[in-house]
Amino acid sequence: MECECCKKTKQRDEAEYKSLINRLNRIEGQVRGIKKMVESDAYCTDILIQTSAVNAALNAFKTELLANHIRTCVKNDIENGRDETIEELAAVLQKIMK
């Protein structure tokens, strides 16, 4: 069964798309680096420091995506009378702030 959130899509402008993809590529590289560290028996604290860097990068990605979502999707939905988007946003914020 497909979730409700998977039915919506968003066309991103080129700048937003490139920025998000660049962030994800950097995160992917960081995670591959952590895997190599584990495979090469790197010291635990060194790995932990790198995982903190990945967490920070993911938080920056989420922040950028959320800001873009509010500026575009949420704004447009409210302007078009779809106030349920406010509840959707509130639910998403509760999930990502845990």
Side-chain angles (χ1 to χ4, degrees):
M1 183 172 165
E2 201 172 281
C3 67
E4 184 65 30
C5 64
C6 299
K7 295 178 183 177
K8 294 182 179 182
T9 61
K10 179 187 180 202
Q11 292 293 318
R12 289 175 175 79
D13 65 36
E14 188 174 342
E16 179 184 359
Y17 175 82
K18 283 184 177 183
S19 178
L20 292 173
I21 292 298
N22 285 339
R23 284 185 184 275
L24 288 171
N25 286 337
R26 284 193 301 272
I27 292 165
E28 183 179 28
Q30 288 175 303
V31 171
R32 278 195 308 268
I34 292 169
K35 181 181 177 193
K36 287 178 185 175
M37 291 175 79
V38 171
E39 291 170 343
S40 65
D41 298 325
Y43 192 60
C44 302
T45 57
D46 295 334
I47 296 170
L48 289 167
I49 289 168
Q50 289 306 309
T51 62
S52 291
V54 170
N55 282 333
L58 281 169
N59 285 335
F61 174 83
K62 287 190 303 186
T63 299
E64 181 178 346
L65 186 61
L66 178 60
N68 289 336
H69 178 62
I70 292 168
R71 287 186 198 108
T72 58
C73 302
V74 174
K75 178 180 176 267
N76 292 338
D77 281 356
I78 291 170
E79 287 173 350
N80 291 312
R82 292 189 292 273
D83 291 337
E84 64 273 7
T85 299
I86 295 169
E87 291 305 316
E88 176 189 70
L89 178 60
V92 167
L93 287 171
Q94 285 181 332
K95 288 179 184 178
I96 66 174
M97 294 179 86
K98 286 184 178 183

